[in-house]
Amino acid sequence: MRKLLTVCTLLMLVSAANAQKKTAEDKRFAGLDTAFTRVLKDWNAAGFAVAVVEKNKVVYAKGFGYSNVATKTPVTANTSFAIGSCTKAFTASVIGLLEKDGRLDIDKPVRDYIPEVKFYNNEMNNNITLRDMMCHRTGLPRHDFSWYYFTTTSRDSMLKRIAFMEPTAGIRERWQYNNFMFFLQGVITEKLTGQSWEQNIKNSIFKPLGMDSATVSIDEMVKQQNIAVGYGLKNDSVIKKLDYYHINAMAPAGSINSSVTDMSKWLMLWINGGKYNGKEILSPAYVNAAISGQMVVGSALPAKDRPDLFFSDYGFGWFLSSYKGHYRVEHGGNIDGFSASTSFFPSDSIGIVVLCNQDGSPVPSIVRNVIADRMLGLKYFDWESERKIAADKAREENKNATKAKTDNGTKAAPPTHALKDYEGLYNNKGYGTFEVVVKNDSLYAMPGSKTWWMKHVQYDIFTPVQMDADGSFDSTENGTPLQFNMNLSGDIESVGITFEAALKPILFTRTPKAKEATKEELQQYEGEFDLNGITLKTYLKGDKTLHLFVPGQPEYELMPVDKDMFAIKILKGFKVQFKRNDQQQVTELLSIQPNGTFKAVKKSK
């Protein structure tokens, strides 16, 4: 009987202990609904989801707000969001798996594995390693507008752009974030495995972790039912729907979509040293290296107002810092309509993921910090108010600066050319091609899927103003100015855009866009023309191609660019213009060159 009482007493004590533990756990999340509702309201956010991991289990997972504002569909823990650059740790992990299998060495020059990649100079070609790429120390600045505005589905095409991207520092001299280097890691995994980056991610990570709802493209995500729509803010307060951004070839740098439920499994893997449910997925050696400082992001003393937040390093796809005495591993993510934060505290076995369907939102970092303080047993701090006060102050300062802005008293000078003279295709080998056209009385540029209204500033300087999908314009003019340049013939030959602040303007060379011309129209220009005793011949080849032949020179293809005007396709700054008589018959050919204009008279038949 005494033995039975003892057992019962022990059971009661265990039950009470478990109940106390559960109560203690529940208290950590008490009042979060109210706090996070306030976050949604203060930042005019559509919605977000959050999950908290402790050791091997999810201790909190919940959605707030709407995944679709129009249909009032609530966010849940299983709603899929774009996670943006949180993708990088996945891509680097595949490199880690290949290193574990002995298929590569991250400290050897990257061209040992992919000789077709070329960098800006031989020093970079001979010395950049995978480790350099994995921790952003190649010397390359972001060059993000290359992939963002000039997107492509061809990884081969994207790969070739790297050779034309100028560095702003020496190798390993400075930390500079660069998406192209994570794209390149994905290309290397494809070459070594014979599988696409997408398939490598699915087979090596998603499948063993059971991340069943995670996808690697927008095309895959939209086939699911429980997905978030992306939103931005107009005039700082109006929620507006944004189109999904298809990252395409740059996928290894930021194309994964997931729910906080599935991302929790990813966090458990890292918290448990590369194991999930007791099975090793990533090697402990790689996990340790990935979350150890490989490059200093910024060196500085702690700020006086935040002495408990300091040091900033980068591992392999992870930012590293000290958070109130706790070692934090974290990465954010941003892509059109979405913001994310994935973080964990390895010494505390705690992980937090926040996914939000708002563009460039502070919500993930606020929610992450609020929960971190609770999970780590730290003193309360009102992160929401601090961020809100700072944002309101910055907004007011910006308004005051705008009001205080004055011109220099000089009357604005008009463009040097008629607007139609700026039309054409503009190309840079490190970026891509965009078209400039005239619509009504304005100039427009169309980089990729975007449209800019070119607001005239002075002479040949224009400021791009983003056009929204609904045809309205962004109220803020934050685009960098574009400056068009002339050649010696006085024609517009290029445009410079300051896409990288530390570099000279990126130069895009203009090619006049060919206009449609029928065979019958082109036949009017055929004939022989006398140029001071030299006979020039113009003739059709095929149905729609006019050519010019000058004795002793190669045959030139003529491209129609305007009425009676042709560009010589392979010669920049050279044009041919035909003149007509009163009967509209072609009588002269003007050869317009940088060193002058030369007249040739048509010979009679």
Side-chain angles (χ1 to χ4, degrees):
M1 183 69 177
R2 181 178 296 173
K3 185 177 181 180
L4 180 61
L5 287 171
T6 302
V7 171
C8 290
T9 302
L10 286 172
L11 288 173
M12 289 172 66
L13 289 171
V14 169
S15 177
N18 287 336
Q20 287 179 342
K21 183 179 180 182
K22 186 175 186 302
T23 300
E25 288 177 346
D26 290 344
K27 284 182 178 179
R28 292 181 299 187
F29 308 114
L32 281 185
D33 284 12
T34 301
F36 291 161
T37 298
R38 176 190 169 199
V39 170
L40 282 175
K41 181 180 178 181
D42 282 354
W43 299 99
N44 297 297
F48 70 89
V50 56
V52 183
V53 171
E54 192 168 33
K55 295 180 181 178
N56 288 311
K57 64 179 181 178
V58 177
V59 294
Y60 181 85
K62 195 166 185 180
F64 297 85
Y66 299 119
S67 60
N68 187 318
V69 173
T71 61
K72 297 293 187 290
T73 305
V75 172
T76 73
N78 294 314
T79 301
S80 283
F81 296 76
I83 70 169
S85 286
C86 294
T87 299
K88 287 180 171 60
F90 288 82
T91 296
S93 293
V94 178
I95 295 291
L97 290 170
L98 293 174
E99 183 184 39
K100 175 188 174 183
D101 293 341
R103 301 175 72 175
L104 57 76
D105 182 338
I106 66 171
D107 291 311
K108 286 186 176 180
V110 69
R111 294 186 79 235
D112 287 3
Y113 305 105
I114 184 164
E116 55 266 40
V117 67
K118 292 181 180 179
F119 293 96
Y120 194 77
N121 56 47
N122 284 332
E123 181 185 2
M124 300 172 77
N125 285 333
N126 297 333
N127 294 291
I128 287 178
T129 66
L130 267 165
R131 187 187 296 271
D132 297 326
M133 290 161 46
M134 294 164 78
C135 63
H136 299 300
R137 62 184 196 190
T138 62
L140 284 167
R142 297 183 73 119
H143 286 294
D144 273 342
F145 291 112
S146 174
W147 65 265
Y148 184 77
Y149 283 129
F150 306 96
T151 185
T152 174
T153 57
S154 169
R155 291 202 172 128
D156 288 340
S157 171
M158 195 71 80
L159 188 69
K160 292 176 182 176
R161 297 183 189 180
I162 295 173
F164 303 96
M165 294 180 175
E166 187 176 353
T168 52
I171 303 168
R172 302 173 203 117
E173 179 182 303
R174 186 189 310 159
W175 182 89
Q176 295 185 117
Y177 196 84
N178 186 279
N179 282 294
F180 270 91
M181 295 302 97
F182 273 80
F183 151 76
L184 191 49
Q185 290 172 55
V187 173
I188 290 169
T189 66
E190 292 182 333
K191 181 166 184 178
L192 294 181
T193 65
Q195 294 184 325
S196 68
W197 169 83
E198 289 83 357
Q199 205 58 50
N200 281 322
I201 292 294
K202 291 176 181 178
N203 292 340
S204 300
I205 300 175
F206 288 177
K207 188 174 181 180
L209 293 182
M211 295 179 67
D212 299 328
S213 69
T215 57
V216 291
S217 71
I218 293 296
D219 289 338
E220 286 186 351
M221 184 180 81
V222 296
K223 294 176 182 177
Q224 300 176 333
Q225 295 297 316
N226 192 357
I227 63 174
V229 174
Y231 296 95
L233 279 182
K234 195 162 189 173
N235 300 323
D236 296 322
S237 61
V238 181
I239 297 175
K240 63 174 183 178
K241 179 179 177 293
L242 298 181
D243 292 334
Y244 291 121
Y245 183 85
H246 294 258
I247 297 177
N248 295 327
M250 285 296 289
S255 73
I256 289 177
N257 312 290
S258 186
S259 65
V260 296
T261 296
D262 272 352
M263 289 296 287
S264 296
K265 300 170 185 177
W266 174 240
L267 284 174
M268 288 181 203
L269 172 71
W270 286 90
I271 288 171
N272 292 285
K275 292 183 178 180
Y276 182 71
N277 287 339
K279 182 180 178 181
E280 183 179 298
I281 308 299
L282 300 176
S283 72
Y286 174 75
V287 169
N288 288 338
I291 62 176
S292 297
Q294 301 291 332
M295 189 62 182
V296 174
V297 173
S299 55
L301 295 175
K304 290 183 179 180
D305 59 336
R306 293 260 71 82
D308 48 2
L309 306 178
F310 57 90
F311 104 73
S312 181
D313 287 357
Y314 201 86
F316 297 150
W318 292 109
F319 284 97
L320 316 170
S321 62
S322 176
Y323 180 84
K324 300 183 178 182
H326 297 261
Y327 192 89
R328 185 177 72 186
V329 182
E330 191 268 347
H331 211 291
N334 283 285
I335 197 65
D336 294 25
F338 295 92
S339 302
S341 173
T342 307
S343 65
F344 62 99
F345 298 81
S347 299
D348 302 281
S349 298
I350 290 169
I352 304 166
V353 57
V354 187
L355 305 179
C356 178
N357 56 339
Q358 184 183 52
D359 192 63
S361 179
V363 168
S365 61
I366 293 171
V367 172
R368 175 198 66 209
N369 288 354
V370 168
I371 290 180
D373 288 349
R374 292 183 177 222
M375 294 299 295
L376 298 171
L378 301 172
K379 183 180 178 180
Y380 171 77
F381 183 81
D382 190 354
W383 289 104
E384 163 67 6
S385 292
E386 185 197 54
R387 287 296 296 269
K388 191 70 171 62
I389 291 170
D392 290 344
K393 181 181 178 181
R395 191 178 298 113
E396 189 62 29
E397 288 176 349
N398 185 55
K399 287 181 180 178
N400 291 336
T402 301
K403 290 178 182 177
K405 187 185 294 185
T406 60
D407 59 39
N408 58 13
T410 303
K411 186 177 180 180
T416 61
H417 291 63
L419 291 185
K420 68 180 183 61
D421 293 338
Y422 298 90
E423 287 190 313
L425 300 174
Y426 291 78
N427 174 265
N428 178 281
K429 291 182 179 180
Y431 280 68
T433 301
F434 67 95
E435 185 176 2
V436 172
V437 299
V438 175
K439 294 182 180 178
N440 299 323
D441 59 349
S442 294
L443 209 58
Y444 290 83
M446 292 171 288
S449 61
K450 307 294 183 182
T451 299
W452 295 337
W453 168 51
M454 306 290 279
K455 181 180 179 181
H456 183 249
V457 179
Q458 182 86 313
Y459 293 110
D460 293 331
I461 301 172
F462 295 78
T463 297
V465 180
Q466 180 76 42
M467 177 185 280
D468 292 336
D470 60 5
S472 63
F473 293 97
D474 194 320
S475 59
T476 57
E477 294 174 26
N478 52 12
T480 181
L482 286 73
Q483 180 168 344
F484 290 89
N485 308 301
M486 286 185 285
N487 60 22
L488 292 176
S489 298
D491 298 322
I492 299 298
E493 71 168 2
S494 64
V495 64
I497 310 176
T498 308
F499 277 147
E500 288 295 336
L503 295 173
K504 293 180 181 179
I506 305 297
L507 207 62
F508 290 77
T509 303
R510 175 179 177 263
T511 299
K513 187 177 180 181
K515 296 188 179 297
E516 291 292 329
T518 65
K519 178 180 178 180
E520 290 72 23
E521 289 171 334
L522 294 176
Q523 283 176 331
Q524 301 176 58
Y525 305 108
E526 287 187 301
E528 295 185 351
F529 298 82
D530 178 67
L531 177 63
N532 295 328
I534 300 173
T535 299
L536 312 182
K537 294 182 180 180
T538 55
Y539 47 89
L540 277 178
K541 290 183 74 173
D543 288 341
K544 291 190 176 182
T545 308
L546 188 67
H547 286 73
L548 169 67
F549 177 74
V550 181
Q553 297 185 31
E555 179 183 63
Y556 298 114
E557 181 180 341
L558 301 181
M559 184 173 65
V561 294
D562 207 345
K563 179 175 173 58
D564 296 333
M565 181 73 75
F566 292 77
I568 298 181
K569 199 166 187 179
I570 64 171
L571 297 179
K572 297 294 183 184
F574 288 74
K575 293 183 292 187
V576 169
Q577 182 174 10
F578 293 93
K579 291 291 186 179
R580 299 173 183 269
N581 59 20
D582 294 340
Q583 289 74 44
Q584 294 302 302
Q585 297 169 328
V586 173
T587 57
E588 294 177 353
L589 179 155
L590 299 182
S591 177
I592 303 171
Q593 306 175 23
N595 60 333
T597 300
F598 303 89
K599 182 172 71 172
V601 179
K602 188 174 184 180
K603 293 182 177 182
S604 300
K605 292 183 180 180

